[in-house]
């Protein structure tokens, strides 16, 4: 059995991890707002009302926010190019944040056992870098690199610290 004692500063790690989760939620709202504007009820009825009722019956209607389409499906094909492009930028930002949140939080929580303040600070720097990433991506995808490089440096550092922390914990094991 391994006993782990959390240092008093571990609360900062928890705050940083919760902040990262909040950022993920916020970026989801950005993508969701875009969905409501792009796949509005008028667009959905005009483009897909008849075909939807033909397929599912006269009382049915297409989803007023375009679900289940996530930007690459049948509904998106009916969008003007600019609307499709802007919708997909937001979807991609959200997807990218979702793809990395589990690793970030896991690495931060584990690294924070032995390196609490370092882990918390690196996690917060990561969050700021991801804000730069999202803002850059939404303006022009080539500008995402301004936030990508520092966020990946933070993620890599947290991963290394997590492994160091694990090895220290295993080394502290008392039989």
């Amino acid at each position: 059995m391994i006993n782990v004692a959390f240092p008093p500063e571990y609360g900062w790690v928890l705050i940083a991890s919760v902040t990262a989760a909040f950022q993920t939620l916020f970026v989801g709202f950005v993508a969701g707002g875009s969905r409501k504007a792009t796949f509005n009820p008028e667009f959905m009825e005009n483009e897909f009302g008849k075909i939807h009722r033909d397929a599912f019956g006269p009382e049915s209607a297409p989803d007023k926010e375009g679900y289940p389409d996530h930007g690459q499906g049948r509904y998106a094909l009916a969008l003007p190019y600019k609307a499709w492009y802007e919708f997909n930028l937001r979807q991609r930002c959200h997807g990218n944040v979702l793809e990395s949140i589990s690793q970030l939080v896991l690495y931060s929580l584990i690294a924070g056992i032995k390196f609490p303040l370092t882990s918390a600070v690196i996690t917060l720097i990561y969050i700021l870098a991801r804000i730069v990433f999202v803002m850059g991506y939404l303006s022009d995808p080539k500008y995402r690199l301004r936030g990508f490089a520092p966020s990946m440096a933070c993620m890599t550092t947290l991963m290394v610290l997590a492994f160091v922390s694990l090895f220290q914990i295993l080394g502290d094991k008392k039989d």
Side-chain angles (χ1 to χ4, degrees), residues 19-20 29 32 39 51 75 87 89 100 108 113 115 126 129 138 152 163 172:
T19 303
F29 286 136
F39 295 114
I51 192 171
Y75 296 158
F87 177 74
L89 287 178
S100 61
S108 181
I113 295 170
F115 309 99
Y126 176 92
L138 292 178
M152 287 301 98
F163 277 108
D172 291 345

Side-chain angles (χ1 to χ4, degrees), residues 1-151:
M1 164 142 323
I2 297 173
N3 292 319
V4 178
F6 294 99
E9 300 88 0
Y10 196 76
W12 292 108
V13 176
L14 297 175
I15 289 170
S17 295
V18 169
T19 303
F22 176 76
Q23 179 192 34
T24 303
L25 181 66
F26 180 76
V27 174
F29 286 136
V30 170
S34 175
R35 170 175 291 284
K36 288 180 181 182
T38 303
F39 295 114
N40 59 62
E42 181 183 346
F43 170 82
M44 294 303 295
E45 181 57 36
N46 290 342
E47 295 291 331
F48 300 102
K50 182 182 180 328
I51 192 171
H52 191 86
R53 283 187 288 282
D54 289 347
F56 296 103
E59 300 300 316
S60 66
D63 186 86
K64 63 183 179 183
E65 293 180 9
Y67 286 105
D69 200 316
H70 285 279
Q72 299 296 323
R74 188 169 192 157
Y75 296 158
L77 292 175
L79 293 171
Y81 181 77
K82 184 176 185 209
W84 171 86
Y85 185 82
E86 290 172 352
F87 177 74
N88 274 278
L89 287 178
R90 285 165 178 74
Q91 286 293 109
R92 192 61 219 122
C93 284
H94 187 228
N96 193 278
V97 171
L98 286 172
E99 290 165 3
S100 61
I101 185 68
S102 59
Q103 300 96 299
L104 173 71
V105 171
L106 180 65
Y107 295 154
S108 181
L109 293 174
I110 293 172
I113 295 170
K114 293 293 184 176
F115 309 99
L117 294 179
T118 303
S119 175
V121 168
I122 293 171
T123 301
L124 292 172
I125 293 170
Y126 176 92
I127 292 166
L128 293 174
R130 286 319 247 188
I131 291 169
V132 171
F133 172 89
V134 168
M135 290 172 55
Y137 205 117
L138 292 178
S139 66
D140 187 328
K142 67 183 174 196
Y143 296 128
R144 73 187 186 279
L145 296 176
R146 294 175 180 167
F148 176 78
S151 67

